[in-house]
Amino acid sequence: QTLQQKCIQGSFYETYPTAHGRLSFDLPETIDGIMCSISLDLQYSTLPHSIDSNETLSLVTDMKRISALPSSNVEVIHSIPLSNVDSVMIYGIPMTARAAIDDDYSRYNEMKMLNKQMWKYLSSNDIGLVLRVRFEEDDGHDDDRHPRSREELFLLVCEQAVAVEKPCVPNNDSKYDRSEALGVTVATKHKTSCHGMLFRYASKRQMLRFVNEDEIEEDENSAEELQYQDYIERSIEMLATTGLNPLLL
C-alpha cells in the first residue's frame, strides 16, 4: 500500500467507522440434501467521490441497507459464465467480499475454508453467481401491514488476482514483452484470490435500452473500411497488453 492509500483509508473509516457490511445467503441444496450458508464481509474497493460528499454518504447508507438483510432475502438464482456477462449491465461501486469474521475461531476457520473452495470453483470454471436480493420498503403508511418489496440483482465472482513478478527479457529476442517490464501478470487458475468481488447487475426495471437495439446488419467491409481496420489493428498493437495496476501508472 502507498502512503496515499493509507491516508485515504484512515480518513474514510475515521469518518464512517461502520462503513463495512455483511451479506449472508444459503448455497443451493445438493442432491443428497446438504446445504451450506455463506457469510461475507463487504467493503468498497474504490472510492470515486470525496469523503465528505453526499455521494459517499449514500454509499455508506446503502452498505448498511445491505447488511440489514436477513439471509432469507438473498437467493442464489443461477450461475453465469463470465463470457456471458454483459458489461453494460454492471453498475455502481464494486465491493470486496471476504469470509466473514466470527468471534468463534472454529466457525471462522470453517467459513474461510468454505469461501476458499467457493472462490476456487468459481475461478476454475470461469463462472459467477447471480444473487437476487429482496429489500423491504416502507412507503410511509402506518395502515400498510405488508411493506412493499423491491428486488435487485448482484453478481458475485472470484477476484481477478494480479501478481508482481520480476521482469524477464528473453535471450533469443531483443523485443521483450513490455507487459513483463510493467511487472503485472494475471494470476493463474491454480493460484486463485482469497476473496471475491460483488457487483450490482441491472434488473429489468432499470434498463433504458437493449444493447443490440441500435445494431443494423452490415455488408462486407469495403476497401476503405479495410484500410481503417488495418490502421486500428496496427495502432492498438503498439500498446502493452498487461494487467492494469494504477500504482504503476
Side-chain angles (χ1 to χ4, degrees):
Q1 288 184 329
T2 65
L3 181 59
Q4 182 182 23
Q5 280 181 292
K6 291 181 179 180
C7 289
I8 294 175
Q9 284 183 357
S11 179
F12 176 67
Y13 290 115
E14 181 179 352
T15 307
Y16 302 105
T18 60
H20 296 84
R22 178 162 295 190
L23 182 69
S24 301
F25 57 89
D26 295 328
L27 289 175
E29 185 176 349
T30 65
I31 195 172
D32 52 353
I34 299 176
M35 179 181 290
C36 291
S37 295
I38 295 290
S39 188
L40 302 171
D41 278 343
L42 305 175
Q43 65 181 107
Y44 289 113
S45 57
T46 59
L47 187 62
H49 313 295
S50 61
I51 294 176
D52 58 350
S53 66
N54 291 331
E55 290 82 1
T56 298
L57 177 60
S58 178
L59 289 175
V60 174
T61 301
D62 193 55
M63 182 70 82
K64 294 179 180 178
R65 188 172 63 107
I66 294 174
S67 301
L69 287 168
S71 59
S72 58
N73 282 32
V74 184
E75 178 187 7
V76 183
I77 55 178
H78 63 78
S79 61
I80 179 174
L82 296 184
S83 59
N84 290 351
V85 172
D86 189 346
S87 59
V88 176
M89 307 290 283
I90 295 177
Y91 70 98
I93 309 301
M95 291 167 272
T96 302
R98 303 174 183 268
I101 297 177
D102 197 301
D103 293 333
D104 188 324
Y105 187 72
S106 61
R107 287 182 58 185
Y108 177 48
N109 275 337
E110 182 181 1
M111 186 57 64
K112 285 199 299 182
M113 289 187 289
L114 189 59
N115 272 264
K116 179 181 178 181
Q117 294 307 314
M118 181 176 67
W119 304 136
K120 185 175 181 180
Y121 181 84
L122 296 180
S123 176
S124 61
N125 289 277
D126 286 327
I127 62 174
L129 298 180
V130 180
L131 309 179
R132 179 164 55 200
V133 176
R134 188 176 73 256
F135 292 96
E136 305 293 345
E137 294 184 331
D138 184 5
D139 59 6
H141 296 289
D142 296 335
D143 57 345
D144 190 356
R145 300 180 181 179
H146 303 284
R148 297 178 181 178
S149 62
R150 179 167 57 87
E151 293 184 347
E152 295 183 11
L153 297 179
F154 288 82
L155 176 65
L156 182 65
V157 301
C158 178
E159 184 190 48
Q160 186 66 52
V162 294
V164 179
E165 297 180 354
K166 295 181 179 179
C168 176
V169 180
N171 296 326
N172 57 351
D173 190 357
S174 60
K175 285 187 174 182
Y176 63 88
D177 186 353
R178 291 167 61 193
S179 66
E180 294 181 356
L182 291 177
V184 182
T185 57
V186 178
T188 65
K189 294 180 181 180
H190 303 291
K191 187 178 180 182
T192 58
S193 174
C194 61
H195 55 276
M197 299 298 296
L198 185 67
F199 298 92
R200 293 181 176 277
Y201 205 77
S203 58
K204 59 183 179 182
R205 70 177 185 83
Q206 296 169 316
M207 296 178 60
L208 293 178
R209 58 176 291 270
F210 290 102
V211 177
N212 61 349
E213 69 179 10
D214 296 331
E215 293 182 357
I216 58 175
E217 187 174 349
E218 296 183 356
D219 299 329
E220 294 184 3
N221 292 334
S222 64
E224 187 177 10
E225 287 178 324
L226 290 175
Q227 290 181 354
Y228 290 131
Q229 176 184 329
D230 178 64
Y231 163 73
I232 292 296
E233 290 178 355
R234 290 188 292 110
S235 177
I236 295 180
E237 285 174 357
M238 297 299 296
L239 299 172
T241 302
T242 178
L244 178 60
N245 188 341
L247 299 179
L248 299 179
L249 298 179

